[in-house]
Structures are given as C-alpha cells and as structure tokens.
Amino acid sequence: MNIRPRRNRKSMAIRAMVEETKLGAENLIYPIFLEDGKNIKTEIKSLPNNFRWSLDLLLPEVEQCMNLGVNTFDIFPAVSEHLKDVTATYSYAEENFYLHAIRKLKESFPEIVIMSDVAMDPYSSDGHDGLVRNGKILNDETLPILAKMAIAQAQAGVDIIGPSDMMDGRVGFIRNELDLNGYADVSIMSYTAKYASAFYGPFRDALNSAPKSGDKKTYQMNPANKREALLEAELDFSEGADFLMVKPALCYLDIIHILKENFNIPITAYNVSGECAMVYAASQNGWLNYENTMSEMLLSIRRAGADGILTYFAKDFAQLLKNR
Ligand code: PBG
C-alpha cells in the first residue's frame, strides 16, 4: 500500500491543514421573529430555543450576536389577526411595527445587515404569499403589492430584500420599483428555488401564517424537480437578483450544488425551521449530540456550495466557534 489516506488524518493539526471547507460566523444569517409590544420573549413550542421578541428585548440580543460575530439578521413579523386583510395593506402601512423596529435596529447598530421578507403571508387574511381570488393565487396582481412592501422596507433601512413568495417576475418588478424610488443600493436575495416543503411547519407556528385553505404548490416548487431550479435561477439572475437562495437546505444539497456550478453570484441556503426542529427535538431526548449534529449540518450545506446560510443555529454555532 503506497497510498494511505489515513496519514492525512493522523493529528488534529494535519486534519486542520487539509480541511477543505471552512465555515465562520460571517457566513451566517440569523432569522428572528418579531412581535409588537414590550417585554416579550415567547419561546416557539415547535422550535425550542427560538423566540418571538419584542423590540426592547431584541436589541440586547442583537448586540450579543454581534459580539459573537453574527452581523446579519433576517427579521420576520408576527402580525395580529385583526391587522390582516386580503391585500396585506398593513405590510406597508405607516404604523407597521416591523418597519419601525427595523429603523430602530439600524439606528442602534448601523453596521449590522438587515434582511427582510417580502411575501404577503404574514399580513394576509388568506395566509398565502400572493393575492387570493376565487381560490386562485393571482400572479401579476400580486407584484405591485410586493413592490410596495419592498419599498416600505427599503425606506425603513433594510439592506437586503428577501422575496420569498415565488410569484413569476417579482425580482425584476421589485428591482425596477426600488431603482425608480432611489433605492439602487438595496440588494435582493431571491428565494430562487423555494420548494413546497413539509419543513416549514414550526415557522408557520411562530408567525401563525399557515394558509387558511389549500397549499402552496401552485407557486412553490415540486421537490421532485431539479432542472426547474436552473430555470428559476436564470430568471432571477437576469431580473437582477444579487444572491440566489435555495430553500430548504438539507434535502436540497444537490440544488445548492448545481446553482453554485452554474451561476457566478453568491448562493445562499435556508436551513429551515423544520430542519432545526428535528435537531432540537432529538438532542433534547438525548438521541443526538446538539453541537456535533448542528456543526455537521451547517458544514454540509457550506460544502455543497452555499456562501451564506440562514439558520436558527446561528447564535449557538457562533458561540461554539468562539469557545473552540
Ligand atoms: C414566507 C416564508 C416561509 C418561510 C420563510 N418565509 C414559509 C412559507 O413559505 O410558508 C419558511 C422558513 C422556515 O421554515 O424556517 N413566505
């Protein structure tokens, strides 16, 4: 035997020298749930270790994350039922607490990167990402609503707009409206290959945003499809997306990989609520080691080709890196 791969694994120092994939806190985006009010930190039952925060308690939390090297946050609003309507008007209303909170966060920590979510679901009385009429999700009629939402968010200081709605043509529509309104510097991280997945359950619990009827299969992608992800990516790229996202991450590592091979802009992946919930549940039962499982999952997403990873593990992983 003249070739023995084990020689390159014989000590920690050699293993570290030949390590092919590195993952740091700078690659992580931390999704955070925001609720209107004061002194609120409510744990999400189906996503332990994650909370719905009111702004006053979120500010020190964000500071703690920054001290661990996590500087990018994706903020999602939990909106009371009485503020929801068919056309999601609260999403761009003057008094929207989410927009006020973003403004305050940017004032308090100008160096952070704030990403937002653009889709109708948290504000829609139908719980769908697009406008519903006679049981159908309308595409072109949804676009101006999404654009209004995006402009209101840009005005509040969002750095990266995250259209998660999967309507056709929305990236180009939003890009155009942002530019016309003086927000050429605001980026778009498109949910490019977003699949109709069973792994979004805990997120919908957190925001109480599940569809009131039907499912999202006429706009989110079929998990069986891979080439279609390339088509979505071509569209988003040509419409001006700055990042292409794959969502969920773990069951879709092949999709992350082909987008990375085929497009020369950053690829990101969303390690979604259900993927993290499985690890929380198994580790609480003593079936899996939390830190090792989380690290292996995040590393695999990075190895597949993700430049950035949205994950509920962001803070814990950054803490782990710091302790190492
Ligand atoms: C809203 C949205 C969803 C997620 C992010 N943005 C849910 C959905 O499409 O139903 C899911 C994130 C997660 O599960 O962590 N359009």
Side-chain angles (χ1 to χ4, degrees), residues 121 129 164 194 200 203-204 216 220 247 272-273 312:
D121 57 340
D129 294 13
S164 69
K194 179 174 180 179
Y200 306 149
F203 175 96
R204 294 177 188 170
K216 299 192 173 186
Q220 298 180 349
K247 177 185 176 185
V272 299
S273 57
Y312 301 92

Side-chain angles (χ1 to χ4, degrees), residues 194-218:
K194 179 174 180 179
Y195 287 88
S197 169
F199 288 96
Y200 306 149
F203 175 96
R204 294 177 188 170
D205 292 342
L207 299 189
N208 191 24
S209 64
K212 300 277 165 26
S213 67
D215 54 40
K216 299 192 173 186
K217 290 181 182 165
T218 67

